[in-house]
Amino acid sequence: MKLEIGNFHVKDVCFGTETSFSNGTLIIDKQAAIDYIKEDEHITTCDIQIAKPGESIRIVPVKEAIEPRCRVNADHPLFPGVTGEVHPVGEGRTHALKGCSVLAVGEHWGSFGDGLIDMSGEGAKYSLFSSLINICLVADTDEEFERHEQQKKNRALRWGAHRLAEYLGNAVKELQPDDIEEYELGAITKRSAEVNALPSVVYVLQGQSQMEEDGYNDLVYGWDMNNYLPTLMHPNEIIDGAVISGSFMPCSSKWSTYDFQNNPTIKELYKEHGKSINFLGVIMSNLNVSLEQKERSAVYVAQIAKSLGADGAVLAEEGYGNPDADFIACFVALEDAGVKTVGVTNECTGRDGQSQPLVALDEKANAIVSCGNVSQLIRLPAMERVIGELEALSRDGLSGGWSGDEILGSSVKEDGSIIMENNAMFCGDQVSGWSPKTMTEF
Amino acid sequence: MVKEVEKAGFPVVILCNLIPVARSVGANKIVPTISIPYPLGDPATSKEEQYKLRRHRVEVALDALTEDIKEQTVFKVKI
Amino acid sequence: MKKAVLYINQFFAGVGGETEADFEPEIREGLVGPALELDKQLQNAEVTHTVICGDNFIGSNQEEAVKRILEGLEGIEFDIFFAGPAFQAGRYGSACGFICRAVREKFGVETVSSMHVENPGVLMFKKELYIAEGGHIAAKMRKDIKKMANIGDKLLAGETMLRAEAEEFFPRGIRHQFWPEEAKPAAIRAVEMLKKKLAGEEYQTELPIPKSDRVEIAKPVVDLSKARIALMNTGGIVPVDNPDKIQSASATRWGKYDISGMDHLESGVFKTIHAGFDPAAADADPNVIMPIDVMRAFEKEGKIGELYKDFYSTVGTGTTEAEARRMAQEIVVHMKEAQVDAVLMVST
């Protein structure tokens, strides 16, 4: 399978009369884009705002991030099963607007899995998205049933952002990219003797799927991953739109759709493929609520890895808390199957740093890359401008915000400064592979 | 918590659903329950079935109190 | 200028060796023994007093020694407290630990010591104070004091996020995130670690799995039919008015509830206040978490001697280990008084 991603490096984004891209500038016809978004009548109010790295801007509540892209050789949807019908992806040519992302931002209302991004200052280091030009879809919807719920599906907003990303991506459909990345990985049984002689490696992703009701979990080709068994996937499918992010899980642990589209671990494994390893592919697994489901998924992952003859695995979990039990179960199952495994996760050591780092532990989990502490307290000064609504952080049950605390008070102070847990930093722990953070003893 | 109780010398059995968590925290005698919100009786089943299951699992736990184990043990249940 | 106090034993105070180990606590104004070097190395404070105590005296009269020293310190102003270095001397190390713990609790100042890795004081106290990684013999005095002073200077300057590895003190069991100077993305770290693991080379995990701290398995119940058995739960089963105001998450409170004369827990009389799961099932029938009904049956049938009249409740979700430990210790005191023989704990 061979995928070409044609990159267009976006240096600036501004509004203009026609949506187009030239000389590094993405111009957006704002009204036309809003009209397009509003084709979904569940969107009641809608605006597009731009936030650039270095600006004094705080964005909250952020629900989703997507890299704007389009398919070049086919008329297929960017996200099969989500923005259109199901088609295979991971092959052919996709064009991408690099250096920017489309964010779904609540005009007012936040939910448990939403996050915060600071575009400058001390807070910028907590999220990758402070380094991108963010095209913020700020909207409200008619989803009355969940307006005051802590858990929200955020369907209209998330789908709106997916559609906007595709809409903007289409601006470069006919253009020549600045550069082209090639991702080619042949069939496992048809590789050369030299490649076969290298240690073979799988990448295991445990995507978030803990909500039993439809509408909250990660989707693969539009399918809710709660009702799902681990499957072998081609890495190109993951980076080419087969998986979208869900609307659950404390935000710093979450993987946005942008994270799937650009998964740095897949890129790193590609880089080593044929040199130091034989990259077999991705085993796409999930995270569950009952012990039996956790164990069943671990059995499947280990079986697939073993049947493929994997020597090693990188295992990453999109969550913390009881998902740690899935992570450790899978780690142990892989090790027991003879697959040498490295895990990637974040930790929850508490505000005092003294709690057990994962709720389940096992001595077989002897190689872990750690990306952060979800419960670290963070104090940040006010920003000049807020995109969205700052009160959402304290009012709406975001995982890292609170309305009242006996000692700390509300997360949002009158002067616009905030105190929060890392938990609500938008995709902050970057377990999919960016994280420059680690954990250590103090 | 269970560890502090055992440290004080009380024979103790923990009944819980997430066995790996109980293992990690160092509980010695563990009896599985059926779920987190309803450890000892599935509301989707009849009152009689719930009672039967609860009686069985508690009995396994009581018997576990008398077992002279040498290492961490998860006791088997039938229903 | 901020002020510091140093604790040393009789030997380093020049009082004498083993024969003088019963030397009673004394606080001297000014610098005695190692205090001279500490005062020289310390930039952000001056050492104003030296506390001296014999290792034997504090070893066999610990409470008394601590009490006298605390009393003596009451009239003295200080911003930080040092003890040692204690090298590999076990009694000296634990004396430093006990005194630092008490000073920190009473005066709320940071405390710094230094010990060799094999000093038993390290295991006993590393979580409570900064213990610099010290040498095993007194010849390392100057070096050890330098490390103590460095840690002290940073604490005095208001830096509390000192990295154990960088500052060379024993890890205190406090893990936080940090940004290494040469930031390497997690993806590269993971693939590098995997390559090493595959090649059988050494690598360093970023999350060392703590050795699970198992407790000794308690002696089994000999005769169940004579045993008094208590029930506990972390599922938040309480009387409907929640008289102890146990929090529905991150609990710091627990309760005990009398079930004398009840042959089951009645819905509407008891309920769950746990926020971590759907409460419908346990509210409709609290016995699914606290199985009073079957325990009564076993009691009638003579399988167990007696179901103890109180059951114990708290909430497990989000509760820190430290709080859980404290609550359990409080419950244990009560169970001992009640002559409970064994415990069943239901955890949600």
Short mmCIF file of all heavy atoms in Angstrom, two decimals, chain A residues 125 370-373 376 435-442, chain C residues 161 163 165 176-181 189:
data_model
loop_
_atom_site.label_atom_id
_atom_site.label_comp_id
_atom_site.label_asym_id
_atom_site.label_seq_id
_atom_site.Cartn_x
_atom_site.Cartn_y
_atom_site.Cartn_z
N LYS A 125 3.28 25.81 26.48
CA LYS A 125 4.07 24.57 26.42
C LYS A 125 3.25 23.32 26.73
O LYS A 125 3.71 22.20 26.52
CB LYS A 125 5.25 24.66 27.39
CG LYS A 125 4.88 24.59 28.85
CD LYS A 125 6.13 24.59 29.74
CE LYS A 125 5.73 24.51 31.20
NZ LYS A 125 6.86 24.65 32.11
N SER A 370 7.01 7.69 29.58
CA SER A 370 5.96 8.37 30.32
C SER A 370 5.85 9.82 29.89
O SER A 370 6.85 10.51 29.73
CB SER A 370 6.26 8.29 31.82
OG SER A 370 5.18 8.84 32.52
N CYS A 371 4.63 10.29 29.69
CA CYS A 371 4.42 11.57 29.01
C CYS A 371 3.82 12.66 29.87
O CYS A 371 3.52 13.74 29.36
CB CYS A 371 3.54 11.35 27.79
SG CYS A 371 4.27 10.23 26.59
N GLY A 372 3.59 12.43 31.17
CA GLY A 372 3.05 13.54 31.96
C GLY A 372 2.19 13.07 33.11
O GLY A 372 1.87 11.89 33.22
N ASN A 373 1.85 14.01 33.97
CA ASN A 373 0.99 13.75 35.13
C ASN A 373 -0.31 14.50 34.92
O ASN A 373 -0.33 15.73 34.92
CB ASN A 373 1.68 14.22 36.41
CG ASN A 373 0.77 14.09 37.64
OD1 ASN A 373 -0.25 13.41 37.59
ND2 ASN A 373 1.16 14.75 38.72
N GLN A 376 -1.34 17.33 37.58
CA GLN A 376 -0.49 18.46 37.98
C GLN A 376 -1.30 19.76 37.98
O GLN A 376 -2.06 20.05 37.05
CB GLN A 376 0.66 18.60 36.99
CG GLN A 376 1.73 19.53 37.48
CD GLN A 376 3.07 18.81 37.61
OE1 GLN A 376 3.21 17.65 37.27
NE2 GLN A 376 4.06 19.49 38.11
N SER A 435 5.04 14.07 22.78
CA SER A 435 5.33 14.61 24.10
C SER A 435 6.81 14.84 24.36
O SER A 435 7.62 13.92 24.36
CB SER A 435 4.80 13.69 25.19
OG SER A 435 5.02 14.32 26.44
N PRO A 436 7.18 16.10 24.62
CA PRO A 436 8.56 16.38 25.03
C PRO A 436 8.72 16.19 26.54
O PRO A 436 9.81 16.26 27.07
CB PRO A 436 8.74 17.87 24.67
CG PRO A 436 7.36 18.45 24.80
CD PRO A 436 6.38 17.33 24.51
N LYS A 437 7.58 15.93 27.22
CA LYS A 437 7.60 15.80 28.68
C LYS A 437 7.94 14.39 29.09
O LYS A 437 7.67 13.43 28.38
CB LYS A 437 6.19 16.08 29.25
CG LYS A 437 5.75 17.49 29.21
CD LYS A 437 4.42 17.64 29.95
CE LYS A 437 3.24 16.98 29.24
NZ LYS A 437 1.98 17.15 29.93
N THR A 438 8.46 14.25 30.30
CA THR A 438 8.54 12.94 30.91
C THR A 438 8.21 13.11 32.38
O THR A 438 7.78 14.18 32.82
CB THR A 438 9.93 12.31 30.68
OG1 THR A 438 9.92 10.98 31.22
CG2 THR A 438 11.03 13.10 31.36
N MET A 439 8.37 12.03 33.14
CA MET A 439 8.08 12.09 34.57
C MET A 439 9.36 11.77 35.33
O MET A 439 10.16 10.94 34.91
CB MET A 439 7.02 11.07 34.95
CG MET A 439 5.65 11.35 34.38
SD MET A 439 4.77 12.67 35.24
CE MET A 439 4.33 11.83 36.78
N THR A 440 9.53 12.43 36.46
CA THR A 440 10.69 12.10 37.27
C THR A 440 10.39 12.34 38.74
O THR A 440 9.34 12.86 39.09
CB THR A 440 11.94 12.89 36.81
OG1 THR A 440 13.09 12.30 37.40
CG2 THR A 440 11.85 14.34 37.23
N GLU A 441 11.34 11.94 39.58
CA GLU A 441 11.17 12.09 41.03
C GLU A 441 11.61 13.47 41.48
O GLU A 441 12.66 13.96 41.04
CB GLU A 441 12.02 11.04 41.76
CG GLU A 441 11.59 9.62 41.50
CD GLU A 441 10.58 9.13 42.52
OE1 GLU A 441 10.34 9.84 43.52
OE2 GLU A 441 10.02 8.03 42.30
N PHE A 442 10.83 14.06 42.36
CA PHE A 442 11.17 15.38 42.90
C PHE A 442 11.40 15.30 44.41
O PHE A 442 10.97 14.36 45.04
CB PHE A 442 10.06 16.37 42.59
CG PHE A 442 10.08 16.81 41.16
CD1 PHE A 442 9.39 16.09 40.21
CD2 PHE A 442 10.81 17.92 40.78
CE1 PHE A 442 9.42 16.48 38.87
CE2 PHE A 442 10.85 18.32 39.45
CZ PHE A 442 10.15 17.59 38.50
N MET C 161 10.54 22.57 43.48
CA MET C 161 10.55 21.48 42.50
C MET C 161 11.99 21.06 42.22
O MET C 161 12.51 21.29 41.14
CB MET C 161 9.85 21.93 41.22
CG MET C 161 8.36 22.13 41.39
SD MET C 161 7.46 20.58 41.51
CE MET C 161 7.33 20.15 39.77
N ARG C 163 14.67 18.33 41.39
CA ARG C 163 14.68 16.96 40.85
C ARG C 163 15.69 16.12 41.63
O ARG C 163 16.84 16.49 41.79
CB ARG C 163 15.05 16.99 39.38
CG ARG C 163 13.86 17.23 38.48
CD ARG C 163 14.31 17.33 37.06
NE ARG C 163 15.09 16.15 36.72
CZ ARG C 163 16.17 16.14 35.97
NH1 ARG C 163 16.62 17.25 35.46
NH2 ARG C 163 16.79 15.04 35.70
N GLU C 165 17.25 13.39 40.95
CA GLU C 165 18.42 12.93 40.22
C GLU C 165 19.45 14.06 40.09
O GLU C 165 20.64 13.86 40.31
CB GLU C 165 17.98 12.44 38.85
CG GLU C 165 18.97 11.56 38.17
CD GLU C 165 18.52 11.24 36.74
OE1 GLU C 165 17.35 11.55 36.38
OE2 GLU C 165 19.34 10.71 35.99
N HIS C 176 6.48 13.98 39.32
CA HIS C 176 5.81 15.03 38.56
C HIS C 176 6.38 15.07 37.16
O HIS C 176 7.46 14.54 36.90
CB HIS C 176 6.02 16.40 39.22
CG HIS C 176 5.19 16.61 40.45
ND1 HIS C 176 3.82 16.53 40.42
CD2 HIS C 176 5.53 16.88 41.72
CE1 HIS C 176 3.36 16.77 41.64
NE2 HIS C 176 4.37 16.98 42.45
N GLN C 177 5.65 15.76 36.29
CA GLN C 177 6.14 15.88 34.92
C GLN C 177 7.22 16.94 34.83
O GLN C 177 7.26 17.88 35.61
CB GLN C 177 5.00 16.20 33.96
CG GLN C 177 4.24 17.49 34.29
CD GLN C 177 2.97 17.61 33.46
OE1 GLN C 177 2.44 16.62 32.98
NE2 GLN C 177 2.50 18.83 33.28
N PHE C 178 8.12 16.78 33.88
CA PHE C 178 9.07 17.84 33.63
C PHE C 178 9.56 17.79 32.18
O PHE C 178 9.39 16.80 31.48
CB PHE C 178 10.21 17.81 34.66
CG PHE C 178 11.43 17.03 34.26
CD1 PHE C 178 12.63 17.69 34.03
CD2 PHE C 178 11.37 15.65 34.10
CE1 PHE C 178 13.76 16.97 33.67
CE2 PHE C 178 12.49 14.94 33.75
CZ PHE C 178 13.69 15.60 33.53
N TRP C 179 10.16 18.89 31.76
CA TRP C 179 10.63 19.03 30.39
C TRP C 179 12.16 18.94 30.40
O TRP C 179 12.82 19.89 30.83
CB TRP C 179 10.22 20.39 29.82
CG TRP C 179 8.81 20.52 29.39
CD1 TRP C 179 8.34 20.55 28.10
CD2 TRP C 179 7.64 20.67 30.20
NE1 TRP C 179 6.98 20.70 28.08
CE2 TRP C 179 6.52 20.77 29.35
CE3 TRP C 179 7.41 20.71 31.59
CZ2 TRP C 179 5.21 20.91 29.82
CZ3 TRP C 179 6.11 20.84 32.06
CH2 TRP C 179 5.04 20.95 31.17
N PRO C 180 12.72 17.83 29.95
CA PRO C 180 14.19 17.76 29.93
C PRO C 180 14.75 18.81 28.97
O PRO C 180 14.08 19.22 28.02
CB PRO C 180 14.47 16.36 29.38
CG PRO C 180 13.20 15.61 29.47
CD PRO C 180 12.09 16.62 29.42
N GLU C 181 15.97 19.25 29.26
CA GLU C 181 16.56 20.30 28.42
C GLU C 181 16.66 19.88 26.96
O GLU C 181 16.34 20.62 26.05
CB GLU C 181 17.94 20.68 28.95
CG GLU C 181 17.85 21.88 29.87
CD GLU C 181 19.16 22.16 30.56
OE1 GLU C 181 20.21 22.03 29.90
OE2 GLU C 181 19.11 22.50 31.75
N ARG C 189 11.73 8.35 21.71
CA ARG C 189 12.13 7.63 22.93
C ARG C 189 11.62 6.20 22.92
O ARG C 189 12.31 5.25 23.29
CB ARG C 189 11.59 8.36 24.17
CG ARG C 189 12.45 9.52 24.63
CD ARG C 189 11.61 10.73 25.03
NE ARG C 189 10.74 10.48 26.17
CZ ARG C 189 9.71 11.27 26.50
NH1 ARG C 189 9.43 12.35 25.76
NH2 ARG C 189 8.96 11.00 27.54
#
